[in-house]
Amino acid sequence: MRYFLFFSYDGTCYHGWQYQPNAISVQQKLQEALSLLLRHPVVIVGAGRTDTGVHARMMVAHFDVVQALEQVERMVFRLNGILPSDISVTAITPVRPDAHARFDAVARRYRYYVVMNKSPFDTRFATHLYYHLDFQAMNEAALLLLSHQDFGSFCKAGSDNKTTICHVSLARWVCQGDGRYYFEIRADRFLRNMVRAIVGTLLDVGRGKITIEGFAKVLQSGSRSVAGDSVPAQGLFLEEVEYPQSVFDILS
């Protein structure tokens, strides 16, 4: 029987989501905890990958068991007791036997958080910026992302993507007040390092280093070398992974 595991994590101390042979990952910690609780080896498949230092407010993975789980809420409680404090499971839900955490996801939503005023409480979860930004210009440039499909300009060099086509349905900067902002972007899929590269290039627009027309040329170029620098990892959160209801309609 297949289940979806819903969880969140502070990625500060991990080398990303995906299992690494010589480094600690979120996937490793979850597989170890599940295997200990279920008393047999468990392999989980995540909805995607997050890089070293990136966080997730909502991540999803699937795993299989031979027999249906009993007292799922109790299992969530026990699993959280085993996991380190920076990983938290929120739910375990039965799904269709062919449901896939990665391939059945219809959209993912990220936010990148920045603060304009230094605070010791933001160092793990936001990036402190020291310069003035024109957020109106940044939002005008961000709108161009919705009418574009090839995001090769924002894909990490050497990535093994079969295609650089993505469909962005939301891209905006939001002011939270008190010098706090976040960039929110929603798409059907994301390329490796894509969000951090987009944010870095939009910051160049906000600083007046490139114009909105220049941002459009970056998009059209398809070349990572003409885009801006990637911003640091700690400000990036995977906020949500979306699925069609059919994934949760169990076959009888």
Side-chain angles (χ1 to χ4, degrees):
M1 188 167 183
R2 180 158 293 186
Y3 289 84
F4 270 14
L5 183 73
F6 293 83
F7 56 98
S8 58
Y9 54 86
D10 170 357
T12 304
C13 298
Y14 298 97
H15 290 258
W17 153 256
Q18 193 168 16
Y19 181 85
Q20 305 287 333
N22 301 309
I24 300 174
S25 68
V26 179
Q27 183 180 23
Q28 174 190 338
K29 288 297 184 182
L30 277 165
Q31 287 185 169
E32 289 175 350
L34 272 170
S35 298
L36 178 63
L37 192 59
L38 297 175
R39 299 182 181 180
H40 62 77
V42 176
V43 176
I44 59 176
V45 178
R49 293 185 293 185
T50 56
D51 291 334
T52 299
V54 175
H55 318 291
R57 211 176 304 276
M58 173 191 169
M59 179 60 147
V60 184
H62 74 251
F63 67 95
D64 295 321
V65 292
V66 176
Q67 295 181 333
L69 300 176
E70 298 180 359
Q71 296 182 318
V72 174
E73 291 185 1
R74 174 65 178 170
M75 183 176 175
V76 170
F77 176 80
R78 294 178 64 193
L79 196 55
N80 281 324
I82 298 172
L83 287 165
S85 59
D86 49 12
I87 302 175
S88 176
V89 173
T90 54
I92 298 174
T93 304
V95 293
R96 294 168 61 103
D98 60 345
H100 197 288
R102 177 184 175 189
F103 298 131
D104 282 332
V106 294
R108 297 160 176 84
R109 184 167 54 88
Y110 282 88
R111 284 182 181 177
Y112 191 87
Y113 294 84
V114 301
V115 292
M116 311 304 290
N117 303 314
K118 183 178 179 181
S119 167
F121 307 110
D122 292 318
T123 55
R124 290 168 69 100
F125 306 117
T127 295
H128 179 205
L129 302 179
Y130 300 84
Y131 38 79
H132 172 76
L133 290 168
D134 183 345
F135 283 94
Q136 181 176 343
M138 289 158 64
N139 264 328
E140 289 181 26
L143 283 175
L144 298 176
L145 299 170
L146 277 64
S147 57
H148 197 76
Q149 293 186 358
D150 190 336
F151 288 87
S153 302
F154 304 115
C155 180
K156 186 172 184 178
S159 298
D160 57 353
N161 299 292
K162 295 181 179 179
T163 175
T164 53
I165 300 299
C166 306
H167 299 94
V168 175
S169 54
L170 174 68
R172 62 179 182 175
W173 284 92
V174 177
C175 177
Q176 296 181 286
D178 194 27
R180 298 172 181 272
Y181 298 83
Y182 63 79
F183 174 67
E184 184 172 37
I185 184 167
R186 179 182 182 271
D188 60 340
R189 64 189 292 264
F190 287 90
L191 308 174
R192 188 176 181 188
N193 206 235
M194 176 175 160
V195 180
R196 291 164 62 191
I198 287 175
V199 172
T201 311
L202 286 173
L203 291 180
D204 284 346
V205 174
R207 298 177 72 179
K209 296 176 69 173
I210 63 171
T211 62
I212 296 173
E213 293 74 17
F215 185 82
K217 290 180 180 179
V218 170
L219 276 171
Q220 294 294 335
S221 74
S223 173
R224 180 67 185 91
S225 63
V226 301
D229 294 335
S230 293
V231 287
Q234 77 269 12
L236 183 58
F237 281 75
L238 172 60
E239 295 280 342
E240 185 180 17
V241 185
E242 300 175 34
Y243 295 93
Q245 180 57 44
S246 59
V247 165
F248 305 99
D249 293 336
I250 310 300
L251 295 176
S252 55

